[in-house]
Amino acid sequence: GAAAVVVPEAPMELLKLIELVKKGRAEAMSSHLLKHGIDPSQLLPPSTSTEYDIRRTPTILHLAAHHGQAQVVKLLLEKHHADPTTTTLSAQVAEKGSEEEEGENEVAVTSGSSFTAYDIAKDKETLNAFRRAMALLPDSWDWIGLAHVPSALTPEMEAEQERKAKEKTRKLLDAERERKKTREVSRPSTPTNNRSGATTPTSTTSSSSLLGKNLASATAANSQLSPEMRMRLERERRANAAEARLAAMKQQETVRRAVQEGKNVCVACGKALDGLMPFDKFGRKFCTTDCVSKGPA
């Protein structure tokens, strides 16, 4: 029978390089390439290692693009001049050739898909790394035909893209502000209560302003009094408050007595209800809505 093909282990320095590429350690990868003299465009050798698959990522550049390591791609292309035109198909052909396969097998392989590193790039930033390299090194490779990079990306183009993105964001924000204004304008305003006892916002504001001025004036005047005079005024204020409380208590007692005696009076203020249309709440009679809100004495 045919002898089994022995697939060697990949060299340690190559496995280390692959690890650095997959982790995105661009500067360390670059130093490793230079230190060990590794050709960044070489096809990765067949290996039993699970770190890479030469059918999908036959070169270091393919590997970096596949894992979305844009900075690694940038250094490989711009500093180490890795070949972006190598395809997965060419790697498969090389692998089959090394195994000395029959001609029909080689035809079957070459009829498969062919992907460059750009074709398998993971994300937009990685794709842009190829386009920036194309702008920087336009004559180094057949970027469009063989590397499949559709167009270059210059700094001016990126600046214009950023400007357009900012302009779009600004327009969206302006539109949102306009929508908020429209909602506020169309929102119905709170109707002004003109019934007895109610105050409009203007009158409330005026009253508050007047009260503030009077309070400020009183405070200023009080600060100019002697300590003895301030104490005298405080005693008078307290005495008046006590008298008011006693009068209120006496009024409440009078009202309660009148109600208990069955007199036709307001249960809040004691006013006679004869000849009036009283307000009735829970069986109690009141003379006005103010008394209704105050409740019974």
Side-chain angles (χ1 to χ4, degrees):
V5 177
V6 178
V7 180
E9 282 288 343
M12 287 302 299
E13 61 268 18
L14 188 59
L15 292 177
K16 179 63 176 178
L17 176 64
I18 290 170
E19 179 186 354
L20 294 173
V21 169
K22 292 171 71 173
K23 290 183 177 180
R25 298 178 58 188
E27 293 298 335
M29 178 276 306
S30 179
S31 300
H32 191 81
L33 276 176
L34 296 174
K35 178 180 178 181
H36 295 282
I38 300 174
D39 179 6
S41 299
Q42 72 178 11
L43 294 173
L44 296 175
S47 172
T48 57
S49 172
T50 58
E51 293 297 317
Y52 65 93
D53 181 354
I54 62 170
R55 289 168 296 181
R56 291 188 300 171
T57 55
T59 68
I60 291 296
L61 188 59
H62 278 82
L63 192 68
H66 174 69
H67 286 280
Q69 301 297 354
Q71 191 62 25
V72 174
V73 170
K74 171 183 169 64
L75 286 183
L76 285 172
L77 291 172
E78 297 180 9
K79 181 177 180 179
H80 299 282
H81 303 285
D83 185 355
T85 66
T86 303
T87 66
T88 53
L89 185 59
S90 61
Q92 292 177 44
V93 171
E95 180 187 12
K96 291 298 181 181
S98 66
E99 296 175 3
E100 297 182 351
E101 291 284 331
E102 295 294 331
E104 62 269 22
N105 289 337
E106 184 173 338
V107 172
V109 172
T110 55
S111 63
S113 300
S114 180
F115 299 107
T116 64
Y118 180 87
D119 292 328
I120 65 170
K122 183 178 181 180
D123 50 39
K124 183 177 180 180
E125 186 58 27
T126 306
L127 293 171
N128 284 343
F130 285 90
R131 296 180 62 203
R132 293 187 189 103
M134 178 180 177
L136 187 66
L137 306 167
D139 301 322
S140 296
W141 311 98
D142 182 358
W143 291 97
I144 297 177
L146 297 180
H148 302 173
V149 181
S151 61
L153 182 61
T154 64
E156 293 77 17
M157 292 171 63
E158 291 195 83
E160 178 64 15
Q161 289 177 0
E162 184 177 358
R163 186 194 66 78
K164 288 182 178 179
K166 288 182 178 179
E167 180 68 14
K168 182 178 180 180
T169 302
R170 186 188 64 78
K171 288 182 178 179
L172 290 174
L173 291 174
D174 289 345
E176 180 60 25
R177 291 192 194 98
E178 286 299 320
R179 282 194 293 271
K180 286 183 178 179
K181 286 182 181 179
T182 303
R183 286 197 295 268
E184 290 174 359
V185 170
S186 61
R187 186 180 301 159
S189 58
T190 303
T192 303
N193 189 353
N194 291 323
R195 290 181 296 175
S196 175
T199 57
T200 62
T202 304
S203 63
T204 302
T205 304
S206 301
S207 300
S208 300
S209 177
L210 182 60
L211 180 61
K213 289 180 180 178
N214 291 339
L215 183 60
S217 300
T219 303
N222 193 38
S223 64
Q224 296 175 0
L225 297 175
S226 64
E228 293 80 7
M229 184 60 72
R230 283 200 294 270
M231 290 178 64
R232 180 180 175 183
L233 289 175
E234 180 63 18
R235 283 196 298 269
E236 290 181 1
R237 185 189 66 78
R238 291 182 180 180
N240 291 335
E243 288 179 4
R245 286 196 298 273
L246 287 173
M249 291 172 63
K250 188 179 292 186
Q251 173 70 12
Q252 290 174 357
E253 182 61 29
T254 301
V255 171
R256 279 197 291 268
R257 189 179 297 114
V259 172
Q260 289 173 357
E261 293 174 357
K263 294 181 179 180
N264 188 25
V265 296
C266 173
V267 297
C269 67
K271 180 179 179 179
L273 298 176
D274 297 332
L276 298 178
M277 182 65 72
F279 294 89
D280 192 292
K281 183 178 181 181
F282 302 124
R284 297 186 177 99
K285 295 179 180 180
F286 301 87
C287 62
T288 64
T289 54
D290 287 341
C291 285
V292 173
S293 62
K294 286 192 297 185

